[in-house]
Amino acid sequence: LTGTSREQRAFQYLLAHAIPGDPHHILQTFDQWFVGAERHMPCHATSGQIVERVLLERAPLCVLELGTYCGYGTVLLAQGLPPGARLYTIEGDPRHAAVAEKVIRLAGFSEQTVELIVGPSEEVIPHLREKHGLMKANLVFMDHWKRCYLRDLRLLESHQLLAEGATILADNVLFPGAPHFLQYAKTCGKYHCKVHRASLEY
């Protein structure tokens, strides 16, 4: 009714309540808004704990996120990066990317730490090396269209963008589900798979 999108309203709430340059407080404020104001927005409290644990265990120097949306996951990833690491995040919707860019910078991350790339993942991935300098990703976080998970994993493989021992984190593979991706990951012989179960809303 206001003519502004949910993503824009989320950013306006952050501007009013979050501490600029404090990624942890940015995420806390996001969570408050998700729960209190817009229950249909995605909240990553449960899956976020998994992400934080993997970042701590793996300490990846090059991270690729597929599906920036409004930047919640990006800030979550960026705050857990080891010194000198770089995060590349891809968002296909320019409207979401415009909000995410402001959220990422509000959280205090520069373009040297977090690079937001706007465009369809299938078009961006083949050019990550020559256009953006991503040589090999140590960690990939997939949280975009589930039907694209398998296609994009194969693109990353074919363009040799996965480092040896890389970790692939894929959200919501059971619900709403990415069955072809899951079957490939379990049967192709390239990956050791583990399913982390969370509550249905996550």
Side-chain angles (χ1 to χ4, degrees):
L1 294 176
T2 63
T4 58
S5 68
R6 288 182 299 174
E7 296 77 25
Q8 290 170 324
R9 293 197 298 273
F11 180 68
Q12 290 168 0
Y13 186 86
L14 288 179
L15 281 178
H17 298 90
I19 301 172
D22 186 336
H24 182 68
H25 197 260
I26 294 285
L27 296 176
Q28 280 187 328
T29 308
F30 252 132
D31 288 337
Q32 292 168 4
W33 189 78
F34 289 151
V35 173
E38 303 262 352
R39 293 183 178 272
H40 297 294
M41 292 286 286
C43 180
H44 294 274
T46 302
S47 57
Q49 294 173 5
I50 299 168
V51 172
E52 289 172 338
R53 187 171 71 246
V54 169
L55 287 168
L56 186 62
E57 292 173 353
R58 301 290 183 177
L61 290 177
C62 182
V63 179
L64 174 64
E65 179 186 32
L66 302 179
T68 317
Y69 190 44
C70 55
Y72 183 104
T74 312
V75 173
L76 179 69
L77 288 164
Q79 75 166 357
L81 292 177
R86 186 166 172 79
L87 168 60
Y88 301 82
T89 181
I90 300 172
E91 174 54 49
D93 188 322
R95 297 166 299 177
H96 296 165
V99 174
E101 181 80 39
K102 292 183 284 190
V103 170
I104 294 163
R105 306 312 166 206
L106 183 68
F109 298 109
S110 69
E111 292 184 2
Q112 284 68 46
T113 301
V114 179
E115 180 178 349
L116 173 59
I117 305 166
V118 184
S121 55
E122 72 272 20
E123 296 179 11
V124 173
I125 289 173
H127 304 287
L128 281 172
R129 182 173 286 114
E130 61 267 28
K131 284 190 176 181
H132 302 280
L134 189 159
M135 303 307 292
K136 289 184 183 292
N138 306 109
L139 172 65
V140 178
F141 181 51
M142 295 185 170
D143 195 16
H144 55 327
W145 293 107
K146 313 313 163 199
R147 65 175 182 272
C148 301
Y149 280 15
L150 178 55
R151 180 202 67 196
D152 288 350
L153 177 60
R154 285 177 165 166
L155 275 175
L156 291 169
E157 291 174 347
S158 64
H159 289 276
Q160 300 180 353
L161 291 169
L162 297 176
E164 185 177 354
T167 299
I168 313 294
L169 271 177
D171 203 14
N172 305 122
V173 293
L174 298 180
F175 182 86
H180 298 298
F181 166 85
L182 205 55
Q183 181 183 23
Y184 175 78
K186 287 181 175 180
T187 62
C188 71
K190 301 175 185 177
Y191 305 99
H192 297 286
C193 295
K194 182 177 182 180
V195 176
H196 300 268
R197 295 187 181 275
S199 54
L200 184 61
E201 62 266 32
Y202 304 117

